Structures are given as C-alpha cells and as structure tokens.
C-alpha cells in the first residue's frame, strides 16, 4: 500500500506552513489570566491570508473556484494550523462548505461557495445539541410550512425551534448550519444567517478562552433553498468536524512534543541534559507512539471519508477509532509535556500552558474515549469480522 500524499496534498501542506509561519501562539492574552474571551473576534488578517493562498477553497470544486481536493488535504492544513494555535474558523467553514457542495441545491451552492473561497463568508455549525451530550439534531425541531404538516415536500418555508450549545465563532459567522429533526423523525440541515429574526446567541467561553455561543432559535424561518433535506448531510457534516478536530489534536500534540524535546535537551541536571535520562526518554517515547497512532487512525478515517471506500466496518468505526486515540493521546501528550517542563510549564510567559488549554478544549470536543469504545463495540457486534 502507498501512503504517500499526492503532489496536490503536499502543496497544500507547504502553503499552509508558509501562511502559518508568521502566527504567534501568544498573540492574544493568556486564557489563564483572562476572564471571559481572550479576544472579541477571530484572526481576520490571518483569514485574509488563507483566502489569498487559496486554502479556503481547497475542497471546493473547480466550478466554485476551488481545487477539488479531499478531506485529507483539509486535515493536513488543520494539522499545521494547530501547531500555532491559529484562531480561525477554518474547520467549521470548510466542513459546512463541503456539505453544502455535496447536498445543497444549486441556488444555495452558488450563493455560498464562491464567497467562502474568497474569504467573504464565514460558516459555522451547531454540532453539540442542547447539552453537548445528545445528538445535535434532537435539540432543534423543524416544521415544514407547505400545508402545516412535516411533509418535506418541495416549496414552502421551514420553522426552526430549539437550542444549540457551544457553537464556535457564532458571533462572527455569516451563516450557521443547524441540524434539526422533523415531526416524522427525519433529519434536515438548515443554513441560516446569524442575524435572522428569532435567532439569538448568548456568550459562552471555551477552555482555550475562545468565544462560543448558545444559539437559541425561536420560530426562525428558513427558506426552502436554505434547508438540506438529505438525511446524510448532517451525519457527514458531523464526521467532517470530528475528523478535522482529530487533525488539530495531532498537530497540537506534535508541536508540544517538539517543545518538550527542545526544552529537555537544554535543561541540565548533574551536568547532563535531562533528555539523556532514561525516565525522561521513556516518557517522550510513549508520547511519540501516541502521536503515530493518532496519525495512522486519522488518515484512515479521513481517507474513508473522502473516498467512501468500503471497509470491514462502516465509516463510523474508523471515526470512533480516530477519536479514541486523539482524545486520550492529546491529553497524555500535554500532561507529559507539563511534567517534563517542571514548573516552567506553568509559567504564563511561556506558551506551553496555552497548548494545554487548547488540548483540553479539543479533548472535550471529541468526548471521552470510553464512549467511543462503546460505539466501536456496538459496531463490531453489528458487523462481525470474518
């Protein structure tokens, strides 16, 4: 098997490294020293650079001004973004755009996708439901107004009611993708403007100090072309967001391990660099193994997502395995880094504590590994391996 990335994917990685090379992880106040959000907005200058480098249109088809690449390319870029704690809605915008491209009608695609590629539209998604523990589509109801029933027929507006919690970048996104459930149990995905009548948001704050929002929908009207009725759309959006989060966890973990290696190579005790001590080397080696497992399972899930290749288990199985390793792996990596740095790791003038806060937010976003292991067990029971 050939695991080499394509020339296009490698070019996307190099472009991302060039754009992110000028980003400082400590460009905003420390989340440890800030009450509330560390900034009022995301990094708009960086967003403009991503657009200029065509990194916002990677996954868009050529007819919409994009390169037509796959989720693997997006994950490569997200991996680089996490190494510098880039404060941009790259994952959310790209995931929603790809979902619109595949499942949305032509009117919606033409209105949204070219502007996304130019950096003129910011997209986000409500993927955490009302509490963060239940499926997102169960938190919002959708009524089709053709004749007062949930027919799902063409034509007629939709009315959305419910709450989505911890929606990233919602205060600054132009459009928010909202999964919802109809009266007859179908799942739809509505893409509504942030300023639509009846849509309100209350500030929430992530562990990393970034703004989140509790989005409330009170009789919010969505036009027919704004609602994707294909039931697979919401599921695919969730998978894209999850795999992208795993890519961010990998990039962050790799950067933290590099920081640990550099620090322990300089720090001396008893006249020797602490990196030469067996206890230090063994811990670093364990975290390297974690990262390689995170990487292998990430690319498996991203490849399945992009190619839709058949496997012994459904795609959800590969996504669950990637989440297991990413959730546990990123936590173990930053904990070991803090240990190896000693008291220096808690110094707010040193960036490691920022990576720890971001890692904790990623871990919370992915959910506990034990829950994903249960999901994997259910899939194995339903699809016995021969």
């Amino acid at each position: 098997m050939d695991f080499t990335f394509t020339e296009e994917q490698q070019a996307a990685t190099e472009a991302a490294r060039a754009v992110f090379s000028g980003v400082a992880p400590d460009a905003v106040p420390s989340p440890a020293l800030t009450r509330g959000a560390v900034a009022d907005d995301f990094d708009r200058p960086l967003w403009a650079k991503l657009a200029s480098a065509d990194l916002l249109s990677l996954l868009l088809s050529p007819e919409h001004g994009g390169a037509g690449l796959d989720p693997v390319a997006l994950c490569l870029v997200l991996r680089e973004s996490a190494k510098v704690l880039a404060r941009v809605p790259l994952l959310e915008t790209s995931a929603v755009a790809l979902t619109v491209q595949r499942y949305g009608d032509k009117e919606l695609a033409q209105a949204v996708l070219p502007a996304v590629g130019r950096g003129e539209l910011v997209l986000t998604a409500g993927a955490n439901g009302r509490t963060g523990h239940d499926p997102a589509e169960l938190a919002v109801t959708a009524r089709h107004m053709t004749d007062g029933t949930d027919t799902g027929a063409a034509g007629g507006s939709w009315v959305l009611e419910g709450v989505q919690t911890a929606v990233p970048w919602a205060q600054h996104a132009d459009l928010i993708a909202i999964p919802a459930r109809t009266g007859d149990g179908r799942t739809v995905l509505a893409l509504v403007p942030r300023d639509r009548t009846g849509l309100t948001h209350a500030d929430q704050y992530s562990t990393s100090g970034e703004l989140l929002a509790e989005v409330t929908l009170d009789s919010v009207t969505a036009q027919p072309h704004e609602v994707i009725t294909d039931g697979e759309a919401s599921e695919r959006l969730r998978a894209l967001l999850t795999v992208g989060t795993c890519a961010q966890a990998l990039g962050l973990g790799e950067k933290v391990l590099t920081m640990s290696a550099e620090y322990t190579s300089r720090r001396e005790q008893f006249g020797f660099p602490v990196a030469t001590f067996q206890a230090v080397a063994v811990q670093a080696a364990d975290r390297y193994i974690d990262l390689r497992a995170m990487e292998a399972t990430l690319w498996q899930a991203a490849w399945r997502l992009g190619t839709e290749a058949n496997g012994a288990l459904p795609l959800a199985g590969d996504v669950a395995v990637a989440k297991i390793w990413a959730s546990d792996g990123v936590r173990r990596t930053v904990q070991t880094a803090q240990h190896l740095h000693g008291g220096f790791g808690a110094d707010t003038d040193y960036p490691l504590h920022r990576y720890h806060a971001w890692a904790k937010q990623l871990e919370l976003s992915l959910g506990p590994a034990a829950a994903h292991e249960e999901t994997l067990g259910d899939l194995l029971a339903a699809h016995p391996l021969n």
Side-chain angles (χ1 to χ4, degrees):
M1 297 179 67
D2 185 3
F3 293 100
T4 305
F5 295 115
T6 66
E7 291 184 7
E8 292 83 1
Q9 291 166 345
Q10 293 178 38
T13 303
E14 292 303 318
R17 286 174 180 164
V19 171
F20 292 127
S21 63
V23 178
D26 55 358
V28 295
S30 164
L33 304 176
T34 306
R35 293 179 64 87
V38 296
D40 295 330
D41 199 357
F42 63 86
D43 192 338
R44 296 279 180 175
L46 177 57
W47 191 250
K49 292 179 181 178
L50 290 169
S52 297
D54 295 326
L55 291 173
L56 299 182
S57 58
L58 275 182
L59 276 65
L60 303 182
S61 64
E63 67 176 298
H64 299 304
L69 299 187
D70 60 4
V72 171
L74 173 62
C75 288
L76 286 166
V77 176
L78 290 169
R79 179 190 195 179
E80 298 302 318
S81 74
K83 293 177 181 179
V84 296
L85 307 183
R87 303 181 51 260
V88 286
L90 177 60
L91 169 57
E92 294 79 12
T93 295
S94 299
V96 175
L98 186 59
T99 304
V100 169
Q101 177 172 271
R102 175 164 180 165
Y103 298 101
D105 66 18
K106 289 184 178 181
E107 181 180 356
L108 181 62
Q110 290 292 347
V112 171
L113 300 183
V116 165
R118 296 190 296 268
E120 298 168 1
L121 275 183
V122 175
L123 312 179
T124 190
N128 295 307
R130 181 182 293 272
T131 65
H133 299 287
D134 300 322
E137 62 272 15
L138 298 182
V140 178
T141 60
R143 290 185 293 111
H144 197 247
M145 302 303 291
T146 300
D147 58 3
T149 62
D150 297 332
T151 62
S157 60
W158 294 78
V159 176
L160 306 174
E161 301 266 2
V163 176
Q164 292 282 349
T165 194
V167 180
W169 317 109
Q171 293 86 343
H172 309 292
D174 298 289
L175 299 171
I176 304 175
I178 303 291
R181 184 63 61 91
T182 65
D184 59 358
R186 292 177 298 107
T187 298
V188 299
L189 185 67
L191 201 66
V192 295
R194 182 189 74 245
D195 57 359
R196 180 66 54 82
T197 300
L199 191 154
T200 58
H201 55 77
D203 288 352
Q204 297 176 317
Y205 308 107
S206 72
T207 304
S208 59
E210 299 299 333
L211 267 176
L212 303 173
E214 181 182 76
V215 175
T216 300
L217 302 104
D218 185 6
S219 298
V220 172
T221 301
Q223 299 306 312
H225 74 278
E226 295 175 327
V227 178
I228 301 172
T229 57
D230 192 319
E232 292 183 0
S234 179
E235 182 178 349
R236 184 173 179 84
L237 174 59
R238 182 167 53 247
L240 283 165
L241 291 170
T242 299
V243 171
T245 303
C246 292
Q248 292 174 321
L250 173 63
L252 186 150
E254 289 176 328
K255 175 61 176 179
V256 166
L257 186 61
T258 298
M259 293 170 65
S260 299
E262 292 173 349
Y263 177 77
T264 56
S265 295
R266 297 191 306 268
R267 178 78 168 88
E268 292 189 359
Q269 282 188 345
F270 312 113
F272 297 94
V274 298
T276 62
F277 297 173
Q278 186 178 33
V280 172
V282 167
Q283 291 183 70
D286 285 343
R287 300 295 78 81
Y288 178 82
I289 293 171
D290 274 340
L291 292 171
R292 296 290 70 79
M294 290 166 64
E295 183 176 18
T297 54
L298 164 66
W299 299 136
Q300 171 71 8
W303 175 74
R304 285 285 304 276
L305 188 58
T307 62
E308 300 184 14
N310 292 325
L313 293 177
L315 170 63
D318 289 300
V319 173
V321 172
K323 287 198 290 184
I324 290 168
W325 278 103
S327 182
D328 272 355
V330 74
R331 172 177 50 79
R332 287 193 292 254
T333 300
V334 294
Q335 286 178 342
T336 296
Q338 289 281 11
H339 178 64
L340 296 181
H341 277 80
F344 197 54
D347 188 341
T348 55
D349 290 329
Y350 186 67
L352 180 60
H353 77 286
R354 296 174 182 268
Y355 285 90
H356 200 155
W358 276 65
K360 179 54 67 175
Q361 180 61 37
L362 292 173
E363 181 189 358
L364 292 171
S365 298
L366 289 167
H372 310 319
E373 290 167 354
E374 290 184 7
T375 298
L376 183 62
D378 293 339
L379 287 169
L380 287 168
H383 302 83
L385 302 180
N386 297 324

